[in-house]
Amino acid sequence: EASRVEGSEKLLKLVIEVGEPATRQIIAGIGKVYEPEMLVGKQIVIVANLEPRIIMGLESQGMVLAVDGADGPVLLLPEKPVLAGTILK
């Protein structure tokens, strides 16, 4: 799932599968470059071993990995499909 965070131009709320029984919610500042519908069904690289943080009243249970591009953040994506929860090496 992906949706805009109400009251923010750049925050998106992502609900993702990470190879655990429960999904994780991540609040990411990528909304000026990515529309929510662009992300549904895509695999992205995240950091999952972080303490949860509250961002605009919503709990974020991880962080997406991105690089700074000329037009803003560029998400890191696997080259080919991998199992949800695969460890980054």
Side-chain angles (χ1 to χ4, degrees):
E1 296 176 32
S3 59
R4 294 203 167 272
V5 172
E6 189 175 327
S8 174
E9 291 182 8
K10 73 176 192 171
L11 293 178
L12 296 182
K13 179 176 85 169
L14 310 174
V15 179
I16 59 173
E17 295 178 18
V18 292
E20 299 170 350
T23 57
R24 281 188 186 240
Q25 177 174 281
I26 295 179
I27 309 303
I30 58 174
K32 287 191 174 184
V33 177
Y34 293 93
E35 291 296 327
E37 53 274 3
M38 295 170 61
L39 301 173
V40 175
K42 288 200 184 280
Q43 289 190 317
I44 59 173
V45 179
I46 68 160
V47 177
N49 63 345
L50 302 173
E51 290 292 322
R53 298 277 186 243
I54 303 299
I55 301 172
M56 289 196 66
L58 300 170
E59 183 176 68
S60 185
Q61 301 165 326
M63 179 175 63
V64 298
L65 290 182
V67 296
D68 285 328
D71 298 323
V74 177
L75 291 175
L76 299 182
L77 307 172
E79 178 183 349
K80 55 187 173 182
V82 296
L83 293 173
T86 298
I87 303 296
L88 178 67
K89 295 183 178 183

